[in-house]
Amino acid sequence: MTEKKILIIDDEEDFVKMLTRNLELHGYDVEGCTTARQALNRVKNNLYDIVLVDFKMPKMDADVLIEKIQEMCPACEFIILTGFSVDGKVQAILETNPKVCACLQKPFEIKDLVSEIEKGSRR
Amino acid sequence: MSDKREKLMESEELYRTLVQTLSDPVVVIDVDGRIRRANKRIADLYGTENYNGVLGRQGLRFVAVGDRRKVVEKLREVFEKKATAVVEFGFVGPDRQLRDHVRDVEMSVSPIRDNTGEITSFIGVMRDISERRRLEEEIRIRQEAIESSIGAIIMADLQGKLKQANWSFLNLFGYNEEKEVLGKGFESFWTRKIPSNKIIETVHSEGMWRGELVGINQNNGEFFVDASISIILDVKDEPIGIVGFFNDITERKQTQEKMREASKMAALGEFVTGAAHEINNPIAIISGNAQYLLTKFDLKTMKETGSREFKKMKESLEMINKHSLRCGEITRKLLAFARGGEETAIKPVKLNSILNDVLSMVEHQLELSEITVRKQFGRLPLVEVDPSQMNQVFMNLILNAQQAMRKGGKLTIKTEAIDHNQVQVEVIDTGQGIPEQNLGRVFEPFFTTRQPGEGTGLGLAVTYSIIKAHGGDIKLKSKPGDGTKVMIELPVSTEP
Ligand SMILES: Nc1ncnc2c1ncn2[C@@H]1O[C@H](COP(=O)(O)OP(=O)(O)OP(=O)(O)O)[C@@H](O)[C@H]1O
Ligand SMILES: [Mg+2]
């Protein structure tokens, strides 16, 4: 099995760094970025299996960002990470977009995230 | 011409003049009821110049149909008692064109006797009382208007002693009859906190007073009214009394209070949501880093793994991780609590399957604690709720039940449709129960009896706010030693 390629998008650099380390430790090929623009650039030039996206990105809402990424990379799967609760808006995305596999509330346990990543790519 | 005859003529003349000059309408009716004489004033009653038209005609013809019997009886009475009597009736003019021209008249009827004392005719002196009637009717309508007013109205004398009170006023204060309040002082209807004599003083000096009053009803219940009290002046502008108008504003005040409360909650919710987000991000970084290091430690197979030093470092990291996650748990519940008052993603769902979902999530844990689960699901209609919030509600309740049954027990989940627009869910445990003194506090945010770090005390507070936001109700029954029963009622539809 080839290792999964993951993109982390979160405006907080330390968060990206922390998560990158953790996921690398679990054997994933991880890249991180802190703006929506960087993210779109990355997606243009690379193929990712899974994108982890902070729900509240400055300048662009996660649902818009997800759609834009999907246009370029229809096979991509997504996991939403949020500092808020899983409210109606997130719930709606989860229900309507089959490529959005899960939403995790921050803080979370890395093992839970890993299991979502594994589940996600099996679907 | 004989003397006698002359005399008769003379008296006849006198009689005629008398009748003609009287300022009131006069008729002379013979015993057969025919009009023999009438004066010009009769014409005033029906508004024509010609009054001769009435002569020789049946008197009853000019009496409104509904009054005829009354008039006939009166005449009979005069005839029998040989004494003057008064009768009121509607006078109908002879002119067909003026058919509707009915006047209210009051007629005093006296018998006219001949030498032998026999009654030969009657003389009726009439008075047009239409105007008086109209005024009486006007007063009656005004009285009726006061009586039918939804606003409470009283009339009092200058000292404030009640002379009249309408139905609304009696109803507002819980009286049945007006006489129960007549003569009572104005001050006796309000809480003592209100300086009633000051109000009366103001009414005297300024002509009116306006403001809110707190009324006390017969059952000592307090309520709020909006009052306008003013002086009543007579035609000479002399004060003769006081009139008060009161509107019950209790409900309005309560809604205002609720709205203030709700907007406070909304503001608090916004604040909490913002704060929680700000806290969650750094906590995620802290715990994530701790977890990274822990994993790293676990992967290390070096020989220091067994050393005491190494164990302590690992333990420290575990503590950092555990307690960051605990902070996260608190903010998560705070967020949920704040969301209780918020717009929710409501849709029709099967409550029973939500319960099944939650139960399957905790199944394993319940088994480990040796708790048996009994489901008594009734047939429920689809219920309009926010499914993720309901999930949370039942998760909170089931976890509480589990935590109350440390040594095992029975968890019963019962659902039932109470009627076509209401369902009930009961979560019943056989745990330790809640001591009486805690029962009133369990819904308070942060109230917990658990060990520090084990419970946030937000579970039931969140549950309460969610259920209330759904228009439902939650109640708790508990007996220490026997167990606890939580009852939730939910409307099937959130549309009122
Ligand atoms: N089923 C129950 N049996 C006995 N006691 C209960 C039960 N449910 C609640 N309580 C009491 O009410 C308190 C408050 O409950 P609540 O769910 O609000 O907070 P918590 O359970 O202490 O913490 P959290 O739910 O945040 O983990 C509990 O600490 C416990 O003392
Ligand atoms: Mg609890």
Side-chain angles (χ1 to χ4, degrees):
Chain A
M1 191 173 96
T2 57
E3 64 185 15
K4 274 173 212 117
K5 207 167 158 73
I6 295 178
L7 177 66
I8 303 168
I9 313 167
D10 193 298
D11 59 324
E12 196 142 356
E13 208 179 321
D14 280 356
F15 183 83
V16 175
K17 223 189 251 173
M18 173 278 290
L19 204 51
T20 309
R21 282 180 195 176
N22 269 300
L23 294 178
E24 277 173 353
L25 215 51
H26 282 86
Y28 298 107
D29 179 5
V30 191
E31 282 173 25
C33 58
T34 53
T35 66
R37 234 181 68 199
Q38 281 174 15
L40 291 171
N41 262 332
R42 295 274 179 119
V43 175
K44 211 184 288 170
N45 303 317
N46 301 279
L47 252 179
Y48 299 98
D49 299 299
I50 293 204
V51 176
L52 309 181
V53 55
D54 182 19
F55 189 66
K56 189 119 173 120
M57 288 294 287
K59 299 207 182 127
M60 195 179 288
D61 281 344
D63 50 344
V64 181
L65 182 56
I66 288 173
E67 264 173 44
K68 293 208 165 170
I69 294 176
Q70 265 179 323
E71 277 168 24
M72 291 186 270
C73 175
C76 249
E77 288 184 322
F78 300 85
I79 292 175
I80 294 173
L81 307 173
T82 178
F84 295 103
S85 53
V86 183
D87 58 12
K89 200 169 166 193
V90 178
Q91 205 71 42
I93 300 176
L94 279 171
E95 278 164 27
T96 53
N97 193 336
K99 287 287 179 188
V100 180
C101 335
C103 174
L104 276 124
Q105 264 179 286
K106 294 177 189 176
F108 46 81
E109 291 205 55
I110 303 296
K111 65 172 167 35
D112 290 342
L113 177 61
V114 169
S115 91
E116 288 298 342
I117 292 173
E118 288 308 311
K119 258 198 273 173
S121 45
R122 254 189 279 116
R123 262 177 288 225
Chain B
M1 230 191 269
S2 71
D3 249 19
K4 203 175 171 189
R5 207 183 150 86
E6 211 163 277
K7 244 192 193 143
L8 200 65
M9 293 275 285
E10 212 175 277
S11 77
E12 175 77 23
E13 190 56 38
L14 185 76
Y15 178 44
R16 197 202 315 268
T17 322
L18 199 68
V19 166
Q20 285 302 353
T21 48
L22 270 173
S23 65
D24 286 326
V26 175
V27 286
V28 175
I29 307 162
D30 64 21
V31 284
D32 294 330
R34 281 185 193 283
I35 299 176
R36 288 295 163 212
R37 282 174 208 283
N39 68 358
K40 279 189 204 139
R41 297 276 164 234
I42 279 287
D44 295 347
L45 281 180
Y46 54 92
T48 72
E49 286 298 300
N50 179 11
Y51 67 95
N52 283 328
V54 305
L55 295 180
R57 304 186 64 172
Q58 265 296 333
L60 276 185
R61 200 201 156 291
F62 301 96
V63 176
V65 177
D67 292 336
R68 283 183 185 168
R69 175 197 280 265
K70 185 166 85 178
V71 171
V72 170
E73 271 164 16
K74 228 3 145 208
L75 285 177
R76 188 167 294 144
E77 185 188 313
V78 171
F79 189 79
E80 281 164 6
K81 294 193 178 149
K82 299 186 171 52
T84 305
V86 177
V87 61
E88 283 177 17
F89 62 91
F91 183 95
V92 189
D95 199 328
R96 269 170 189 271
Q97 243 88 71
L98 299 171
R99 211 207 198 94
D100 293 334
H101 194 83
V102 180
R103 308 292 297 178
D104 289 313
V105 299
E106 181 189 83
M107 179 169 76
S108 97
V109 193
S110 311
I112 301 178
R113 285 181 275 181
D114 63 8
N115 311 351
T116 63
E118 194 144 333
I119 294 177
T120 56
S121 51
F122 304 95
I123 179 163
V125 180
M126 289 179 271
R127 179 162 299 150
D128 188 348
I129 57 166
S130 303
E131 192 59 15
R132 193 171 91 200
R133 270 291 143 76
R134 203 180 56 74
L135 286 176
E136 278 170 7
E137 180 64 9
E138 212 161 84
I139 290 170
R140 200 187 62 77
I141 288 172
R142 284 181 193 202
Q143 276 296 342
E144 207 52 53
I146 290 174
E147 199 52 36
S148 340
S149 161
I150 298 169
I153 301 174
I154 55 161
M155 235 88 78
D157 65 14
L158 290 169
Q159 284 71 50
K161 295 243 173 304
L162 254 59
K163 295 176 78 177
Q164 194 187 334
N166 73 348
W167 180 84
S168 281
F169 184 87
L170 301 176
N171 190 42
L172 187 58
F173 285 86
Y175 292 95
N176 293 320
E177 283 182 81
E178 194 181 12
K179 61 171 188 262
E180 296 171 55
V181 298
L182 296 187
K184 279 199 179 199
F186 174 76
E187 72 289 345
S188 59
F189 297 96
W190 321 105
T191 56
R192 272 186 225 289
K193 283 168 252 163
I194 304 223
S196 317
N197 45 353
K198 282 264 160 49
I199 293 174
I200 299 289
E201 267 170 38
T202 312
V203 172
H204 278 286
S205 61
E206 294 178 18
M208 60 171 283
W209 183 90
R210 259 199 172 134
E212 271 180 24
L213 293 174
V214 183
I216 290 200
N217 64 23
Q218 289 284 73
N219 306 320
N220 275 327
E222 292 192 1
F223 55 92
F224 295 91
V225 298
D226 196 12
S228 343
I229 300 158
S230 44
I231 204 93
I232 310 173
L233 300 176
D234 68 4
V235 279
K236 283 170 266 154
D237 275 355
E238 290 294 326
I240 48 168
I242 290 169
V243 57
F245 184 85
F246 312 96
N247 243 333
D248 188 353
I249 54 165
T250 312
E251 209 164 298
R252 198 206 305 161
K253 274 199 98 96
Q254 280 167 353
T255 5
Q256 273 172 357
E257 193 57 39
K258 262 188 221 145
M259 276 164 65
R260 248 200 304 274
E261 205 52 43
S263 67
K264 242 195 308 193
M265 277 305 288
L268 181 68
E270 235 166 78
F271 171 75
V272 167
T273 308
H277 178 247
E278 287 311 305
I279 294 167
N280 279 343
N281 276 322
I283 289 174
I285 298 171
I286 295 170
S287 77
N289 276 308
Q291 288 174 64
Y292 168 71
L293 290 176
L294 280 168
T295 323
K296 267 275 213 239
F297 277 20
D298 281 345
L299 292 177
K300 267 201 165 185
T301 47
M302 294 182 294
K303 59 176 181 300
E304 66 263 44
T305 321
S307 81
R308 264 181 77 111
E309 231 15 64
F310 191 91
K311 266 195 184 141
K312 273 166 88 177
M313 275 157 61
K314 193 176 172 206
E315 198 185 48
S316 287
L317 280 173
E318 275 165 354
M319 281 199 283
I320 293 175
N321 184 39
K322 180 174 147 201
H323 293 282
S324 333
L325 291 175
R326 177 180 155 204
C327 281
E329 197 54 41
I330 296 174
T331 52
R332 202 163 295 181
K333 283 185 185 161
L334 277 174
L335 278 172
F337 181 55
R339 280 188 65 214
E342 211 183 77
E343 197 72 17
T344 50
I346 293 209
K347 59 180 182 190
V349 295
K350 291 180 182 149
L351 221 46
N352 287 344
S353 41
I354 290 191
L355 280 163
N356 274 330
D357 288 351
V358 176
L359 278 170
S360 70
M361 278 162 82
V362 291
E363 204 170 37
H364 186 61
Q365 285 186 52
L366 293 175
E367 226 167 84
L368 285 181
S369 332
E370 295 187 6
I371 294 168
T372 53
V373 180
R374 248 187 88 209
K375 291 190 243 180
Q376 292 182 18
F377 289 177
R379 273 177 68 94
L380 301 186
L382 287 178
V383 180
E384 286 178 16
V385 292
D386 180 329
S388 72
Q389 293 198 352
M390 274 309 132
N391 244 308
Q392 208 175 348
V393 163
F394 298 129
M395 186 62 96
N396 285 340
L397 297 181
I398 292 171
L399 287 184
N400 279 350
Q402 185 211 358
Q403 284 160 337
M405 298 187 284
R406 291 277 178 221
K407 298 186 193 86
K410 198 171 79 185
L411 172 68
T412 311
I413 316 256
K414 233 192 215 168
T415 66
E416 188 184 1
I418 305 178
D419 53 44
H420 61 282
N421 48 25
Q422 194 120 274
V423 296
Q424 188 179 53
V425 182
E426 293 180 343
V427 178
I428 308 158
D429 66 56
T430 55
Q432 66 203 34
I434 303 170
E436 173 105 43
Q437 73 267 22
N438 288 351
L439 257 184
R441 302 195 55 197
V442 293
F443 290 114
E444 275 176 24
F446 301 111
F447 175 81
T448 180
T449 56
R450 313 213 190 286
Q451 293 298 313
E454 268 189 25
T456 59
L458 281 168
L460 285 178
V462 169
T463 302
Y464 184 88
S465 78
I466 292 176
I467 295 298
K468 283 290 168 187
H470 280 79
D473 202 8
I474 175 165
K475 288 199 191 85
L476 216 140
K477 260 191 203 157
S478 187
K479 207 165 158 200
D482 280 3
T484 304
K485 176 157 137 183
V486 183
M487 290 158 288
I488 290 178
E489 274 175 23
L490 279 172
V492 169
S493 165
T494 38
E495 300 282 307

